[in-house]
Amino acid sequence: MSYIDLSIREIHKALLDKKVTPLELTKEALARAKGNDDNCFESILEEEALRQAESLTDIKEGDLLYGIPFLNKDNFSTKGIETTASSNILNGYKPLFDSEVNRRLKEANAVMIAKTTLDELAMGGSGTTGHKGITYNPYSKDHSRMVGGSSSGSAAGLAAGIGVFATGSDTGDSVRRPASLAGLVGVKPTWGRISRFGLFPFAPSLDHVGYFTRYVDDAALLLNYLAGHDEKDFTSSYKPVDDYLARIDEGVKGKRLFRIKEIEDSLSDRRLLKAIDKLSETLIKQGAEVDIVSFPKDLLESLYATYIVISCAEATSNDANLDGIKFGPYYQGKTYQESMKEARTKGFSELIRRRFVIGSFALMKENQDVLFLRAQKNRAKVVDYINKIFLKGYDAYIVPAASSVAPLFGQASDKLSDEYLIADNHLCLANFSGMPSLSLPLALEDGLPLGVNITAMPFEEAKLFSIAKTIENITGLGGLSTVNPRKGNL
Ligand code: GLN
């Protein structure tokens, strides 16, 4: 254990008391980054981080991110620093500006330690498709297990104790599922709550900025810094920002929560089901109401197909600007078309090309009604249904965040089984609805983390954090990492 394993408020106190300096925190994070072999990084920013940390000698009480080391997913634009989204098509691309998230973190004097690997262009959930190869789960020392994705390097790095928080993006589950497989808190706030300026788009109607922390308190505190309108992103909300820490300890007394029967029915991991039962018994003892409600199974089974059609269609159109002319490596051809064809053929892996084929097919005039519009209608149907349940007076729903612990590489999954279609894909529900949603560790199964996910109504993040904090107190897993292992209470 070292200071970087503590919560942000604890580190802040230690900094104010001069027990540790920003430079020491940075050096510790860099040493851990360099000693790690899980392939978490596109680049480690040693020089830049040390230079910044050396200049941080004037901390003021309340500047909570001052000197705090963090990891940055490589699809957030960083001024003057190569940003590739783990795709060859962007090799060598150095943005001329910072993403709004990075601008804010810089202004708060947080220290960026490294840029992290992802599934290429954030399309994927395995951590195996980026141009740097496979990112491993730090909980499997023999590199036998996935950490998931697409925010794979951020999840693996933070779970290995490198830095205090990590940025991510979540279009279908890319923060919340890897958070579950790596024993972290993974947050996707309401759509529009955090500016996406400078985040490479994947599917804008579903894309969210998200992030990972090891403590629920840190997750709430970070949103205080990241939330709020940004005139550079016209989809960012004007809604006033709450103080997300103010109500964090209010507990669950009087709160109405629901579980979804059909999602739990799709699970085969008994240990996970038992942990959810025990959690809900304890929440009831603490004054919450926990109901089990039904959600049409055919709608749940349709989530994945709906997600693929909408996200691939949006991706095809958004990534049309990756033509090898404006960004990344240029290939000489006789015509623009020839150069572009070469750049895109060399620049994208097979998985991306496949997604573009699906997207283009769904957008073809003759297919739009039966594919794209039908998927949009189904999305609306799913969101209507979940809203209807919430309108019965519920505050949040609680579901398993993944079907089990981190899967082994090569472990065959039957892609048409309920366990795959429902249990491993239902998190995109909150991308369809834009609702704030968060995963956190629930229990450990043979030393591997199991996660739970909670979701609330739009802009109810403060409520979400207070429920999550209660759960963290019940599980005893706050601060979990491979450097700070725990047993857990459930
Ligand atoms: N795993 C999902 C996919 O394959 C989600 C990706 C994401 O959220 N960026 O697209």
Side-chain angles (χ1 to χ4, degrees):
M1 281 277 277
S2 111
Y3 283 105
I4 62 170
D5 302 307
L6 302 176
S7 72
I8 295 174
R9 285 195 286 191
E10 288 166 328
I11 302 173
H12 181 61
K13 185 158 186 319
L15 285 166
L16 288 173
D17 295 345
K18 308 245 178 290
K19 289 190 180 139
V20 68
T21 64
L23 187 59
E24 284 163 353
L25 294 173
T26 297
K27 282 186 174 162
E28 174 71 25
L30 285 168
R32 288 185 186 183
K34 290 199 284 183
N36 179 278
D37 67 353
D38 296 315
N39 192 27
C40 307
F41 306 117
E42 286 291 327
S43 55
I44 298 178
L45 306 167
E46 183 166 20
E47 226 175 276
E48 295 87 338
L50 288 174
R51 200 179 325 121
Q52 186 192 356
E54 266 164 21
S55 75
L56 298 178
T57 52
D58 185 23
I59 188 164
K60 300 211 172 31
E61 189 164 358
D63 279 351
L64 294 164
L65 295 185
Y66 191 97
I68 301 291
F70 74 98
L71 303 175
N72 197 30
K73 187 173 178 179
D74 201 37
N75 58 351
F76 285 84
S77 304
T78 44
K79 188 173 172 179
I81 298 173
E82 188 179 18
T83 308
T84 66
S86 293
S87 178
N88 285 331
I89 196 122
L90 286 166
N91 284 345
Y93 169 57
K94 289 187 180 166
L96 298 170
F97 55 87
D98 278 322
S99 74
E100 174 64 7
V101 163
N102 285 107
R103 192 196 65 73
R104 287 179 179 225
L105 292 174
K106 221 180 231 179
E107 190 176 73
N109 294 299
V111 180
M112 180 163 52
I113 296 296
K115 305 223 51 192
T116 58
T117 53
L118 53 147
D119 278 300
E120 185 174 353
L121 297 168
M123 294 183 211
S126 61
T128 62
T129 68
H131 64 183
K132 289 232 155 172
I134 298 175
T135 299
Y136 301 102
N137 192 314
Y139 282 87
S140 70
K141 296 274 172 265
D142 59 355
H143 287 172
S144 58
R145 287 181 191 273
M146 289 185 189
V147 70
S150 64
S151 313
S152 21
S154 284
L158 197 67
I162 305 164
V164 177
F165 66 90
T167 62
S169 60
D170 189 313
T171 304
D173 59 12
S174 273
V175 166
R176 293 161 297 144
R177 188 160 178 276
S180 175
L181 305 184
L184 296 168
V185 180
V187 184
K188 176 200 87 58
T190 308
W191 192 85
R193 185 66 300 180
I194 300 180
S195 165
R196 299 179 296 179
F197 176 76
L199 170 72
F200 295 175
F202 163 9
S205 81
L206 301 163
D207 288 344
H208 297 66
V209 165
Y211 51 86
F212 300 88
T213 62
R214 289 189 291 258
Y215 297 88
V216 172
D217 271 4
D218 290 357
L221 183 158
L222 262 178
L223 196 58
N224 283 350
Y225 282 86
L226 299 180
H229 180 68
D230 170 19
E231 61 180 24
K232 300 185 293 312
D233 173 1
F234 67 86
T235 64
S236 72
S237 173
Y238 283 95
K239 212 173 164 67
V241 174
D242 280 337
D243 175 356
Y244 299 101
L245 274 167
R247 289 162 51 194
I248 193 135
D249 289 313
E250 76 181 10
V252 290
K253 193 152 192 267
K255 297 246 160 68
R256 298 188 63 210
L257 312 173
F258 65 97
R259 295 160 57 174
I260 298 178
K261 180 179 179 301
E262 289 72 13
I263 293 182
E264 292 183 21
D265 284 352
S266 70
L267 292 173
S268 61
D269 185 335
R270 311 308 307 168
R271 172 84 186 85
L272 175 56
L273 285 167
K274 209 175 111 210
I276 292 182
D277 279 339
K278 277 170 84 181
L279 172 68
S280 93
E281 274 163 32
T282 316
L283 288 168
I284 292 167
K285 271 194 207 126
Q286 296 192 5
E289 179 186 319
V290 184
D291 293 343
I292 298 187
V293 310
S294 201
F295 198 97
K297 198 171 161 203
D298 56 348
L299 278 187
L300 291 173
E301 282 170 339
S302 74
L303 291 174
Y304 183 59
T306 306
Y307 167 78
I308 284 293
V309 171
I310 295 175
S311 66
C312 291
E314 291 188 29
T316 313
S317 109
N318 274 287
D319 286 331
N321 66 345
L322 299 176
D323 57 2
I325 308 285
K326 304 177 199 73
F327 322 93
Y330 173 71
Y331 295 93
Q332 188 67 48
K334 283 197 211 72
T335 57
Y336 165 70
Q337 279 83 353
E338 222 179 86
S339 292
M340 178 175 74
K341 192 172 165 197
E342 191 66 5
R344 286 173 74 90
T345 306
K346 291 224 164 74
F348 297 129
S349 70
E350 196 209 315
L351 182 111
I352 300 298
R353 281 185 253 145
R354 201 184 313 147
R355 289 206 182 195
F356 288 163
V357 170
I358 297 173
S360 307
F361 188 75
L363 288 176
M364 280 164 72
K365 202 162 164 243
E366 55 272 42
N367 299 334
Q368 269 198 20
D369 273 355
V370 58
L371 285 170
F372 190 57
L373 292 180
R374 195 156 151 223
Q376 305 267 42
K377 281 185 198 150
N378 199 52
R379 173 180 181 173
K381 207 165 159 186
V382 168
V383 174
D384 272 357
Y385 205 94
I386 200 79
N387 275 332
K388 251 189 240 141
I389 304 179
F390 268 107
L391 286 176
K392 292 182 181 147
Y394 287 108
D395 295 295
Y397 62 85
I398 303 192
V399 286
S403 64
S404 186
V405 297
L408 290 161
F409 290 109
Q411 189 171 306
S413 62
D414 172 1
K415 301 228 160 179
L416 293 177
S417 67
D418 283 349
E419 184 135 39
Y420 180 79
L421 278 180
I422 300 179
D424 270 318
N425 283 295
H426 66 78
L427 292 180
C428 68
L429 224 164
N431 300 76
F432 289 2
S433 65
M435 291 173 178
S437 181
L438 165 168
S439 299
L440 77 163
L442 173 68
L444 294 156
E445 183 175 298
D446 302 326
L448 298 169
L450 290 167
V452 66
N453 174 266
I454 48 177
T455 301
M457 285 294 268
F459 299 102
E460 298 268 27
E461 281 86 357
K463 192 189 274 178
L464 194 68
F465 290 129
S466 73
I467 298 168
K469 180 73 184 282
T470 306
I471 296 179
E472 183 180 72
N473 289 335
I474 294 170
T475 64
L477 290 175
L480 181 69
S481 73
T482 56
V483 185
N484 184 21
R486 301 288 169 84
K487 282 218 155 35
N489 300 328
L490 295 178

